[in-house]
Each structure stands twice: as structure tokens, then as C-alpha cells.
Amino acid sequence: MHDDARRSGVIPPASPARGADADSTFRRLYARAADPEVLVPGGELTDLVRGELRQSAIDTDRPLDDLIREAAAWSSAAADAFRAVGDLADRDGHRRLARRAALGWAPLGLASGAWLQWLTAPGTADAPTSLRILALYASDVGVGHPGAARGSACLGLLRLLRVSENAVPLARLAGDPRITDTAFRLPALLLLMSRRPDDFREELIGADLCLRAVGPPPPLALVDRELPADWAALDCSRARDDGPSPTERCRALADTLVRAGPEAAARVYAGFGWALATLRGQVEALQVELRASLDPEFDMAELMRQRAREGSVYHHDVSLADRPLSEWLKDCRDDPKPFLDVLARSRLVRPGRSGASPLVTTLVGERGPMFRVFSPDDLTVISRWIDALDGPGPRKTDEDTSSPAPAVRHLAKLPALLETAPPSGDGPRDLREAYRTLMVRTCSPAVDAWCLRYVRRWLARARYRMDARSVPLPERWTTDGLRPWLQAQHDRHGTQFEESADTPLPSREAVVDDAVQTAPLTLIDGSWLQGFTDYELASSDIGHSLFATYWDELGNGETGLNHPLIYRQVLEEMDVVLPPTASPEFAHWPGFRDASFELPVYWLCVGRFPRTFLPEVLGLNLAMELSGVGGTYRRAGLALRKYGFSTRFVDIHNTIDNVATGHSAWAADAVDTLMARLSDPLGPGSRAEVWERVRVGYRSLNPPSGFLARRAARGGRPAGSRWRGATTVMPGAEEHSGV
């Protein structure tokens, strides 16, 4: 079958489109952009990406529905083309094609939906469009469930096909030599744009609409549908709940953006057109590769390219055709064909009889000089090549009909631009400027460095004279976990509430002032968890509950449940109307005291480093979610009710933060998950060391504020009066309201 197909021109000759030194622009971008703490600069980088997008501009007069139908029709035809390639192979060949097709789709499939990860920011956490985008993204990551993202379904399929060795984490996939750089082009640029959401929101929504219109991934048409994969999750056009389809939801979002004006419309269309054109190029290149791989010589040539560099270090004393084998292997990095011709004529190979060929028998046996040099898959490739040889001499092949990779010259400098430049300047001049600056996800190297310093100094204060009395968490973590401790704390909160029944409630003026001074904090509710919207973290065993908490704080995509909006309603009842949270007017509103920005800025800063400060964030999250449950929220409700104000904000927190199934329980479980995976011995990374960091994070909600504590933080940037007083509206923040 293979020889007939080759002679008919169906199978391109063995001339791989990639090699050990092939361009790696996009795989490098992919690995870098997958980092949740990556700093993506604007300027030239943004201009280069915009230039890439403009190459596929679409007339905005065309209805979006026409574009959706075009993408769906192309996808269906592409799937048929993959099936046609599969029809050319026998059963074993079809299995090999399916594995190669799945790998070719993996860079995009493992990140399915990730480009929406940063489209919600503290400054847009109450904006209806941002909330709708977050709802779409929450569906993609399987909010509230570990390993439930669409990318997790792709990982599951790769595991079923036994090609998942390099699939976790995402950055590791970039090093898989079985995948061409072309396969990384679309997902790498999408991930890159996702890290500049303010620059590419419209383009990302257009691209997302295109990929949902495509429906089932065309290359996966080669994979046996009898495999127990999550096929519904692999198709990003299919709903994962009872609501509208993701395509319909994204279509509505695109409509909203298109109606914003001609410029926004052009950008949405550009994103759609670019995504479709780039995906077409990727899929067509994969089809060519699969057709070529039906010829055993193609896979053998690929293997030689991949292994030539390491092999050329050895074999100086072994000769083939009067030339050292090491020299042949060096040439294989560019063109393995001459070497394969010589190898086919050597005594190491018995053409047509792999079982009798020393290359795959005695040479690699337990006592052979190349024992375990080749993997079982490698040996299968070599044996298949030997069995397909027509005779001892080299075979004649037709001219190369493989498709060249798309030109990348204009984008080749992108990886270098991603290398973080040394920070210059001092960052924000004061807390108010910092607050306004950190309303968005993107920032300059100087601001990023400022945030890192702020967090470290804040944590140094939290660590100052920390002992068992200053932190209610146990001094040691045990395998019993935190649930028993959590219940005990809840009981204590309840007892304190009962004991305070005769304590006079604060005055109306104090209640209003407290509500005002905690507004900079409460209107960015959940921002300490913003880093866990990152795709790989949002469905991880630790991060899934943190993303679910963030999702709840923002109202599950519904404005009526959005905590910042609910809080604004309470303020309006107090005759306090504040400017939009992200505006300069808000940060410089004269009714706020400077000290009221200290804790909010810490939240905004630490939320940018979900990996660097993971233990501290988990401790902070536990302190925040537990702070008011059972006691302080109830007392706050009494005070608000006494003066005729709505208690909805505190009521909703007292329920969703509960210690059985709510946020405080999730927070404790996240800490337990982290601690359970650590080792007992002392030292860096041990349970004792990490637990200490969790305790510091817990105390960081209310760190000591005296002169010595601030001096211990090396003259930290936070400024303001000594905190005192007791909150009525935002439990857990009482020491930071400036009252």
C-alpha cells in the first residue's frame, strides 16, 4: 500500500520540514508566555503582533455569521482530508498517524481557551463585558473542579495515546522534538496577546470566536472515537452546561465589541481572520507531514535529525563508506538522506528483514554497545524503515512536495523582546498612584519590581516577632489537616459574637466612615487571587478552589451578584457616590485617607505573583475568608440594619464563606493540598519551611504596624497612621481602614 501511494504521488518523499536546528521562534514564545508571572512589554512587541494580525484583515461589512459558517465549512473539509490520509494506512499505521496528529494539535489543544485568562482585571471586575468574558472562560476551565479544563481533556487524550511525556506543564511541551515549530505559531501568539489584554481584547475575542466556530479539532478526526476521551470538552464549541453554546456566547460578545465603533470592529474581524488563516496554515502543514510519514523513510529521517547531535559526539572510530560515523551524524542535522542511503547498504541492515539486522538486534541488546540508546518507539521507527527497504541500494524518490513552514522573519525577534529589560525608575510615587496603576494586568518592568519590593517588605512586617500568640494557626501542620482547626475557629467567632451582645454598636458616622475607608479594598474584592485566573493554575489541584473563590467574588459573571457592585449600592444608600474604581479620580478622591490604600495595594501586588508567593497567598486567603464568618459579619449586619442600610453584602459573605462548603473551607483545603505533598525533613521546601510561610501569609492580613515592625521591613514603602479601630462592613480589614 505504501509503495503504491508513493508512486501515485499521494505520499511526499522523506524530506522532513523540520530539523534539530529548525527555527524555534514560536516554541520559545509559547514556553515564555505560559508563565503566569511573565512580563510582556508593549512598544515594539505590540507593533510586531499587530503587523501579523493586519496580514489577514477581513472586510467588516461581512456578517459575523458568514465568517462562522466559513470556518465551520473549512473545518469539516479539513477533517475529511485527515480521514483520507488515514485511509492510506494499515491499522498500525493509522495508530501512528493518530498519535502524530494529536501531538500536532497539542500546543493549541492543551491551552484551549487560555487566551481569555487575563481579560478580567481589578479595574474591570464590575464591568458587564468583562464579567461575560469571565463566565465564558470559567466554563472553559471547568470552574471549581481540578483537571476539568478543556486543556485537561486534551492531556487525557494524549495520555490515552501514550504521547504525553512532555505535556505538563505547558512550557515543557515546547521542548518536544516531535512537534514542529509551526504547530506553536497560533497558540504562542494567542498566549502572548493574552498577557497584553488591554492591547488585544478585541482581537482575542475575534480569534476565540473563530476557534469555537471551527468546532471539533480537524486533526483529531484520525483518532479512534472509541477511546474514552472527553470529546465534548475537546470541542470548544460545545456547551458544558445547560446554557447557550460557547459559540453563541462568544458571538454575542463579539457583537458588543463590534458595536463599539469601526476601530473595535476592525480589530475583532482582524482577530477572526488571522486565527483562521494561521490555523489553516498549521493544519495544512500537519496534513503534509502525516502524508509524508506514511513513508517509513520520513520517520527514520526525523529520528536521525533529532538524535544526530548527541550521536556525533561518539563514533569517531566507526566508519561507514570510508568516513567516520560521527561525521555522517553531523551532516544528518541538515540532511539525513545521504546517511540513510549509506546505512541501508551497510552490514548493520538487512533490507526487508529487521529481525535479522544487527542495528535493531545485537547492537542494541543487553550486551550491545548501544543498549538503551534508542527507546522502544525509536526501535519501531528503525525496524519499519528497514522492513520497507526495496533492496540493498538507495531508492529513487520523487521531488519534494512538502510544504515549507510559514515565513516568520518579521516575528523572529519576539522571543528576545520578551526577555525582561532591567527595571528603570522607581515605579509609582505613592500608594494612590500605585493603586491606580495596578488596576490593569500589564505593567512596566519598573512597576513589576516595585510590586515585588512592596510584597517582600509587607511580608517582612508580617514576620516580625511572629509567634503562637500572634497567629491563630497551629504552630505545626499535621496530616489531620485544617478542617478541625477551622471548626474550632468558627466556634470561637460564634462565642465572641454572643459575648459582645451588650457591647454598644458604633455610631452612624463611624459606620459610614468605615464603609468609605474600606471601599478601596472592597471594590477590588478577590484581587489577591487574580493570578489564579491563569489557565494552568485555574484548574490545578490547588488553584481550582482559588479561581472558584475569585469567580464567586465577581458574581459568577452576573452583575446582580458582583460583590463590588453590591458594595457600591450600600455606599449609595449612605449618600456616597464614588468615581469608577480604575479612574484617577477614585485613587485621588479626597475622602479617602492614604492609609486606606496600604492593604489594597498589597493585595494588588501579591496577586501578581501566584507562584513566587504561593504559600503566603494561601495563608492570606485563609485569613481573609475566615475573618468574618460566624461573628464579625453578624455584628456588621446589626450595625447596618440599625441605621437602615442594606445588609446584603455582609449576609452574602457570611454564607458563601462558611466553614463547611464555602470559601473558608476551600481555603483550608488548598493549604492542606499544598502541605500534604511536601516532605517532613527540615530545609528549603520542607513542610516546616513552607508552613512558616503560610503562617506569615495569614498574618499579612493584619501585620504589626509599629515603628519597629516597619523598620524590620527595611524602611518599607507603606506609609500612613498607626492602624486602629474595628470594622463593621469588611471583616478582616479592620486594622487597615484608617479609622
Side-chain angles (χ1 to χ4, degrees), residues 33-153:
D35 181 356
E37 297 179 8
V38 67
L39 185 65
V40 177
E44 186 179 2
L45 183 145
T46 301
D47 293 340
L48 285 171
V49 176
R50 287 207 184 283
E52 164 83 354
L53 293 165
R54 282 195 294 268
Q55 293 183 15
S56 305
I58 296 179
D59 186 355
T60 56
D61 289 336
R62 291 187 62 186
L64 283 174
D65 287 338
D66 283 357
L67 300 181
I68 292 171
R69 283 191 290 269
E70 178 185 336
W74 167 81
S75 177
S76 178
D80 289 341
F82 279 104
R83 294 188 188 96
V85 175
D87 291 341
L88 297 172
D90 57 21
R91 184 174 180 178
D92 288 341
H94 196 285
R95 189 178 298 112
R96 286 192 296 271
L97 288 174
R99 297 175 76 196
R100 190 184 285 266
L103 279 171
W105 186 257
L108 187 61
L110 288 170
S112 182
W115 37 91
L116 303 180
Q117 60 194 348
W118 277 14
L119 287 180
T120 303
T124 61
D126 56 0
T129 299
S130 295
L131 296 179
R132 289 163 60 195
I133 294 172
L134 183 63
L136 184 60
Y137 178 65
S139 174
D140 284 336
V141 299
V143 59
H145 302 283
R150 293 191 187 275
S152 302

Side-chain angles (χ1 to χ4, degrees), residues 69-385:
R69 283 191 290 269
E70 178 185 336
W74 167 81
S75 177
S76 178
D80 289 341
F82 279 104
R83 294 188 188 96
V85 175
D87 291 341
L88 297 172
D90 57 21
R91 184 174 180 178
D92 288 341
H94 196 285
R95 189 178 298 112
R96 286 192 296 271
L97 288 174
R99 297 175 76 196
R100 190 184 285 266
L103 279 171
W105 186 257
L108 187 61
L110 288 170
S112 182
W115 37 91
L116 303 180
Q117 60 194 348
W118 277 14
L119 287 180
T120 303
T124 61
D126 56 0
T129 299
S130 295
L131 296 179
R132 289 163 60 195
I133 294 172
L134 183 63
L136 184 60
Y137 178 65
S139 174
D140 284 336
V141 299
V143 59
H145 302 283
R150 293 191 187 275
S152 302
C154 184
L155 175 61
L157 178 62
L158 295 176
R159 285 174 172 162
L160 289 171
L161 295 171
R162 300 191 175 183
V163 290
S164 64
E165 302 92 321
N166 303 312
V168 178
L170 272 181
R172 181 73 185 89
L173 189 69
D176 196 321
R178 298 168 296 181
I179 306 173
T180 66
D181 196 59
T182 302
F184 288 94
R185 181 174 190 149
L186 178 58
L189 290 171
L190 285 170
L191 289 175
L192 189 67
M193 288 190 286
S194 80
R195 304 305 188 185
R196 300 285 306 181
D198 300 312
D199 292 324
F200 295 109
R201 181 182 68 164
E202 284 75 11
E203 289 86 351
L204 287 169
I205 293 301
D208 188 69
L209 179 60
C210 171
L211 294 173
R212 296 188 193 278
V214 165
L220 300 190
L222 278 168
V223 180
D224 184 1
R225 286 294 173 132
E226 295 301 316
L227 286 175
D230 188 349
W231 295 105
L234 286 165
D235 178 357
C236 64
S237 70
R238 291 189 48 184
R240 310 183 75 183
D241 49 38
D242 296 330
S245 74
T247 307
E248 293 171 331
R249 294 163 72 178
C250 190
R251 169 74 165 77
L253 279 167
D255 277 338
T256 298
L257 297 177
V258 166
R259 288 196 297 269
E263 181 183 353
R267 292 171 58 190
V268 171
Y269 275 72
F272 192 109
W274 167 78
L276 184 56
T278 308
L279 184 61
R280 276 177 166 165
Q282 173 184 326
V283 165
E284 289 167 3
L286 181 58
Q287 288 172 357
V288 168
E289 178 186 337
L290 295 182
R291 287 178 180 273
S293 73
L294 289 171
D295 183 347
E297 189 173 344
F298 179 91
D299 281 345
M300 184 62 175
E302 284 287 271
L303 179 61
M304 290 300 100
R305 285 184 193 270
Q306 294 167 11
R307 304 300 299 276
R309 182 173 182 175
E310 61 194 70
S312 64
V313 175
Y314 309 96
H315 307 303
H316 297 283
D317 299 328
V318 179
S319 295
L320 281 180
D322 299 323
R323 188 184 183 204
L325 179 56
S326 60
E327 296 297 325
W328 284 111
L329 291 174
K330 287 180 182 178
D331 292 346
C332 280
R333 297 174 67 180
D334 296 320
D335 182 10
K337 180 67 169 59
F339 171 68
L340 292 183
D341 290 342
V342 170
L343 183 62
R345 298 194 301 269
S346 74
R347 58 185 176 80
L348 299 176
V349 171
R350 302 289 185 268
R353 296 186 298 142
S354 61
S357 299
L359 182 59
V360 289
T361 53
T362 56
L363 200 64
V364 296
E366 292 182 4
R367 297 181 180 275
M370 297 182 66
F371 177 59
R372 292 285 176 86
V373 168
F374 295 114
S375 70
D377 284 346
D378 292 342
L379 292 174
T380 298
V381 168
I382 299 170
S383 297
R384 181 169 167 253
W385 170 68

Side-chain angles (χ1 to χ4, degrees), residues 424-435:
S424 58
D426 297 324
R429 291 170 297 180
D430 55 37
L431 289 172
R432 292 176 183 259
E433 182 180 326
Y435 186 88

Side-chain angles (χ1 to χ4, degrees), residues 550-729:
Y550 180 84
W551 163 244
D552 278 352
E553 305 290 4
L554 271 58
N556 309 130
E558 299 181 26
T559 54
L561 296 175
N562 181 268
H563 294 184
L565 289 176
I566 293 173
Y567 196 77
R568 280 186 175 273
Q569 292 168 4
V570 176
L571 290 172
E572 288 172 3
E573 292 177 359
M574 299 174 177
D575 296 323
V576 177
V577 179
L578 295 173
T581 310
S583 67
E585 291 77 14
F586 182 92
H588 294 284
W589 193 65
F592 296 137
R593 290 186 277 278
D594 288 344
S596 297
F597 289 93
E598 292 186 326
L599 182 60
V601 168
Y602 168 60
W603 281 9
L604 292 167
C605 289
V606 78
R608 291 173 175 266
F609 306 105
R611 284 184 173 168
T612 301
F613 298 111
L614 175 61
E616 290 84 358
V617 171
L618 293 183
L620 169 64
N621 185 54
L622 178 59
M624 191 62 237
E625 298 303 338
L626 178 61
S627 59
V629 178
T632 314
Y633 282 136
R634 295 160 72 188
R635 183 167 174 79
L638 293 176
L640 291 168
R641 193 174 296 111
K642 176 180 179 179
Y643 302 113
F645 301 132
S646 170
T647 63
R648 190 179 179 211
F649 183 84
V650 292
D651 291 343
I652 198 171
H653 276 85
N654 199 45
T655 55
I656 67 172
D657 292 348
N658 75 81
V659 298
T661 61
H663 292 178
S664 58
W666 297 354
D669 290 347
V671 173
D672 287 341
T673 301
L674 172 66
M675 297 304 300
R677 64 171 55 165
L678 303 175
S679 60
D680 280 327
L682 298 177
S686 68
R687 278 183 181 167
E689 191 264 348
V690 173
W691 180 242
E692 187 73 0
R693 292 178 61 187
V694 171
R695 295 177 77 240
V696 169
Y698 190 99
R699 198 186 190 203
S700 73
L701 181 63
N702 287 304
S705 58
F707 170 76
L708 291 177
R710 291 173 182 271
R711 186 174 181 181
R714 298 179 182 179
R717 193 66 177 260
S721 62
R722 185 182 180 90
W723 301 321
R724 54 190 172 79
T727 188
T728 58
V729 181

Side-chain angles (χ1 to χ4, degrees), residues 352-593:
R353 296 186 298 142
S354 61
S357 299
L359 182 59
V360 289
T361 53
T362 56
L363 200 64
V364 296
E366 292 182 4
R367 297 181 180 275
M370 297 182 66
F371 177 59
R372 292 285 176 86
V373 168
F374 295 114
S375 70
D377 284 346
D378 292 342
L379 292 174
T380 298
V381 168
I382 299 170
S383 297
R384 181 169 167 253
W385 170 68
I386 294 173
D387 289 335
L389 291 174
D390 296 328
R395 292 174 296 143
K396 302 295 182 182
T397 58
D398 302 325
E399 67 173 310
D400 187 2
T401 59
S402 59
S403 297
V408 298
R409 187 172 302 169
H410 65 293
L411 298 175
K413 58 166 43 177
L414 283 177
L417 292 174
L418 264 185
E419 297 301 322
T420 304
S424 58
D426 297 324
R429 291 170 297 180
D430 55 37
L431 289 172
R432 292 176 183 259
E433 182 180 326
Y435 186 88
R436 180 181 61 82
T437 300
L438 298 177
M439 286 294 102
V440 298
R441 296 273 192 163
T442 52
C443 67
S444 68
V447 172
D448 188 70
W450 188 94
C451 290
L452 194 59
R453 291 196 302 270
Y454 192 96
V455 172
R456 285 174 173 163
R457 290 168 176 170
W458 189 280
L459 293 175
R461 287 173 53 198
R463 198 177 296 111
Y464 178 71
R465 290 187 176 179
M466 188 176 73
D467 56 26
R469 292 173 298 176
S470 60
V471 182
L473 281 172
E475 288 192 77
R476 292 190 177 187
W477 182 88
T478 70
T479 53
D480 291 336
L482 289 177
R483 285 296 188 110
W485 172 86
L486 193 67
Q487 291 288 350
Q489 293 298 304
H490 185 249
D491 293 343
R492 184 172 66 86
H493 289 182
T495 300
Q496 290 173 343
F497 174 72
E498 298 297 336
E499 292 175 348
S500 67
D502 296 331
T503 303
L505 294 170
S507 67
R508 186 183 190 281
E509 291 73 17
V511 170
V512 173
D513 184 69
D514 182 82
V516 169
Q517 297 309 319
T518 55
L521 191 77
T522 312
L523 294 178
I524 57 166
D525 202 1
S527 59
W528 68 93
L529 299 176
Q530 63 178 312
F532 290 89
T533 65
D534 184 83
Y535 193 73
E536 288 191 276
L537 301 180
S539 64
S540 66
D541 53 352
I542 292 176
H544 75 277
S545 61
L546 304 182
F547 176 73
T549 299
Y550 180 84
W551 163 244
D552 278 352
E553 305 290 4
L554 271 58
N556 309 130
E558 299 181 26
T559 54
L561 296 175
N562 181 268
H563 294 184
L565 289 176
I566 293 173
Y567 196 77
R568 280 186 175 273
Q569 292 168 4
V570 176
L571 290 172
E572 288 172 3
E573 292 177 359
M574 299 174 177
D575 296 323
V576 177
V577 179
L578 295 173
T581 310
S583 67
E585 291 77 14
F586 182 92
H588 294 284
W589 193 65
F592 296 137
R593 290 186 277 278

